[in-house]
Amino acid sequence: MLAAVLLTLLILPTSVTGSGVALPAVGRETGAPLAALQWVVHGYNLTFASFLLACGSLADLWGRRRVFGGGAALFTVASAVSAAANDILLLDAARALAGCGAAALLTSGSSLIGETFEGRARSRAFGAVGIMTGAGLALGAMAAGAVTDTLGWRAFFGLHAALMTLVWCTVPFLPRGGAGARAVQGRRSAERSSATGSCPVRVDRAGTASFSGGLFLLMLGTVEGPQWGWSSVGVLALLAGSVVALAAFVLVERRIRHPMLNLRLLRNGQFTALCLIPVVATFSFVILLPLLPNYLLVANGASSREAGSTMLLMTLPILVTPLSATRLLRWGLSPRNVFGLSLLCLTAGVAWLASVLEPGVTPGALAAPLITLGVGLGLNFGLVDGAVLDVVAPESTGTAAGFLNTLRLGSEALAIAAASAALVNLVRKNVDTELKGFSSYDGTSRELANSVGAGDLSGPLSGLPAPMRTDFTVLVTHGLTDAWQTVLWASAVVCAVLSVTIYVLLGGRPTGADRPRSHRPTSW
């Protein structure tokens, strides 16, 4: 059982980090525009984030093994369709289905481990979970680059299908949950019912629909803003629709008996602070995973394998830094200060990257800021999940964990979409006037921005005479670098403001109805 779940948790992160590396190859073969191409990543992130809590509720209602098996089957089929797709819309749809399968796998897999192991064995099992998830993040970009360069982008998705088939074959051997486990689950359900005067938990369909719909409209408006124009009727309608849907979600969650997200948890300042830590990680670390390789492809002329290998400087520290965080706690450093150190590294790392990024930048120059970012994420990787459960009442731990993961994945999906749109928009503005000097270039700045945003400069160069290619390349790479520096500095400011807010909130005491009823064993 543990081997199947660990293999799953190795596969899922590579769908985020690896698909960004494969995008240029997908774009060259399909000829898809950037707006459609980006949904290979956005579609997966969106459904993963939107259906996480709903899948958790289904696992409680239908059983962990059944939901895990269904998720594995859906992810396998979706990955196989992705590998065979010849149309970008079919590929986008398949990736969105893969995100639904990933949500089912993540929620039910973690529950299977928690239900099967106890005491020290459970601690070791979840420690292995952290290592495998970190390995997926660390190796995804490099593996995708190697597979894409040697076998093509279809092999990357095909490999996912093959590995998940192995996981699916283990489903009949997964534990159903013995009498003891069922008794514990029944007792916990009874305790929740008696504490809240409620009936058994049901899927929050209205909350799921309004949340996923609002997030989808917001992401679609963000992605299409540079293409349609930010003041266009279509974009304004999408953004207005997202506001209405998300407002409806808040109203539903406040009125429904079994909300998908218990908004009362936000009255607890420490809980709110802990949930904001992954948002800082998103704006400093996560947005780089699918986007920075494309910069290296264009500005450095790197291959997919070289770009993926450079990303290891940022991702490999995740494998070892969590152990350092544990040692710091044993040596007497408070969790608040460990989190503060993590936030400092994340903020400093993204600002440092902005200051060194330039065309032709070497891996040696990138090493220090990328390693700093990896250390920053590693210091809170896994630690924040346990800390969230320490600052809420026992009956609120399930909702608290769901809120944390929803905010984590939702912020990732939205931030990646926003950063992609900002880069396209800024590149277009930076090179718009300069293109007039290239009479041989018969394209537009929008086409150019879309192409370089997807990591491909060969298309715009193909129509230019050889003597002009060097000057054109310099123009584009400097425009792209200016855009990247603007986005990175803006991210650094956001991270700095959030980090200060988080550190101050962590210094307070839990407040509101969901504060813990017993004293926490570790001082903040």
Side-chain angles (χ1 to χ4, degrees):
M1 187 279 293
L2 183 60
V5 175
L6 291 180
L7 178 57
T8 298
L9 296 177
L10 178 66
I11 295 171
L12 298 185
T14 64
S15 282
V16 178
T17 58
S19 57
V21 176
L23 280 188
V26 176
R28 286 192 295 269
E29 181 172 328
T30 63
L34 178 63
L37 195 62
Q38 287 177 330
W39 283 96
V40 174
V41 176
H42 297 330
Y44 178 86
N45 290 341
L46 173 64
T47 53
F48 197 171
S50 299
F51 293 100
L52 194 63
L53 285 178
C55 288
S57 298
L58 290 176
D60 288 337
L61 291 170
W62 296 350
R64 274 75 172 172
R65 188 176 78 170
R66 182 177 297 178
V67 173
F68 187 86
L74 182 58
F75 192 94
T76 301
V77 172
S79 297
V81 172
S82 299
N86 291 317
D87 180 76
I88 188 63
L89 296 180
L90 178 61
L91 178 58
D92 289 341
R95 292 290 293 155
L97 287 177
C100 296
L105 287 164
L106 179 61
T107 52
S108 56
S110 299
S111 297
L112 281 170
I113 291 178
E115 199 175 70
T116 304
F117 298 95
E118 295 181 355
R120 292 184 177 180
R122 179 185 291 181
S123 299
R124 289 194 294 268
F126 276 107
V129 165
I131 292 174
M132 293 302 287
T133 304
L137 288 173
L139 303 177
M142 184 186 70
V147 171
T148 300
D149 283 347
T150 56
L151 302 176
W153 65 269
R154 297 180 185 278
F156 172 70
F157 295 114
L159 183 60
H160 276 176
L163 292 175
M164 193 57 70
T165 299
L166 296 178
V167 173
W168 185 78
C169 289
T170 68
V171 171
F173 305 100
L174 297 179
R176 290 178 177 270
R182 289 195 297 269
V184 170
Q185 184 178 352
R187 185 171 65 251
R188 288 176 178 173
S189 299
E191 289 172 354
R192 285 195 299 268
S193 298
S194 63
T196 61
S198 60
C199 58
V201 176
R202 298 184 183 276
V203 176
D204 179 7
R205 294 183 179 89
T208 301
S210 57
F211 178 78
S212 58
L215 187 59
F216 174 80
L217 292 175
L218 182 58
M219 287 184 62
L220 182 59
T222 302
V223 170
E224 298 296 350
Q227 313 302 323
W228 300 351
W230 290 104
S231 59
S232 66
V233 174
V235 171
L236 293 177
L238 289 172
L239 297 179
S242 71
V243 172
V244 172
L246 293 175
F249 168 73
V250 172
L251 293 176
V252 168
E253 299 307 284
R254 295 183 64 178
R255 294 170 180 261
I256 197 170
R257 178 174 292 181
H258 301 293
M260 185 173 71
L261 294 178
N262 187 352
L263 299 177
R264 290 180 299 175
L265 285 171
L266 295 178
R267 300 175 186 174
N268 185 329
Q270 288 187 344
F271 171 77
T272 301
L274 290 168
C275 288
L276 288 175
I277 290 176
V279 178
V280 176
T282 292
F283 277 93
S284 57
F285 184 98
V286 176
I287 61 171
L288 300 178
L289 292 175
L291 300 178
L292 186 59
N294 291 343
Y295 174 84
L296 298 176
L297 293 175
V298 172
N300 283 13
S303 65
S304 296
R305 182 181 302 179
E306 291 170 341
S309 299
T310 300
M311 297 300 291
L312 287 176
L313 294 169
M314 186 175 73
T315 55
L316 281 180
I318 303 173
L319 297 177
V320 296
T321 314
L323 299 177
S324 301
T326 302
R327 291 192 182 97
L328 291 174
L329 292 174
R330 290 176 180 173
W331 293 342
L333 198 64
S334 69
R336 181 192 183 201
N337 287 328
V338 173
F339 287 132
L341 181 60
S342 168
L343 296 171
L344 178 62
C345 289
L346 290 170
T347 304
V350 71
W352 197 347
L353 181 62
S355 65
V356 303
L357 200 66
E358 62 181 4
V361 63
T362 65
L366 292 173
L370 293 183
I371 291 173
T372 301
L373 286 166
V375 170
L377 182 63
L379 284 174
N380 72 66
F381 201 69
L383 184 62
V384 66
D385 298 79
V388 160
L389 304 185
D390 286 338
V391 299
V392 298
E395 63 269 20
S396 299
T397 54
T399 303
F403 191 101
L404 173 69
N405 284 314
T406 300
L407 188 60
R408 172 185 283 147
L409 293 171
S411 67
E412 290 176 3
L414 184 58
I416 291 173
S420 300
L423 287 172
V424 170
N425 204 47
L426 289 169
V427 168
R428 181 182 174 187
K429 288 184 177 180
N430 288 342
V431 303
D432 198 15
T433 57
E434 301 296 335
L435 284 177
K436 297 176 181 178
F438 290 88
S439 57
S440 298
Y441 179 65
D442 58 1
T444 66
S445 60
R446 177 179 297 175
E447 295 171 349
L448 175 62
N450 288 342
S451 181
V452 299
D456 182 21
L457 189 55
S458 59
L461 288 176
S462 61
L464 291 175
M468 288 188 176
R469 291 183 181 179
T470 300
D471 292 338
F472 188 82
T473 300
V474 171
L475 165 67
V476 173
T477 54
H478 278 85
L480 178 62
T481 301
D482 290 342
W484 261 96
Q485 289 173 341
T486 300
V487 169
L488 291 175
W489 282 118
S491 297
V493 171
V494 171
C495 291
V497 172
L498 287 177
S499 297
V500 172
T501 302
I502 291 167
Y503 194 76
V504 171
L505 290 176
L506 287 178
R509 297 189 63 80
T511 58
D514 294 293
R515 63 182 181 274
R517 294 179 178 175
S518 60
H519 182 67
R520 295 185 308 278
T522 304
S523 173
W524 287 84

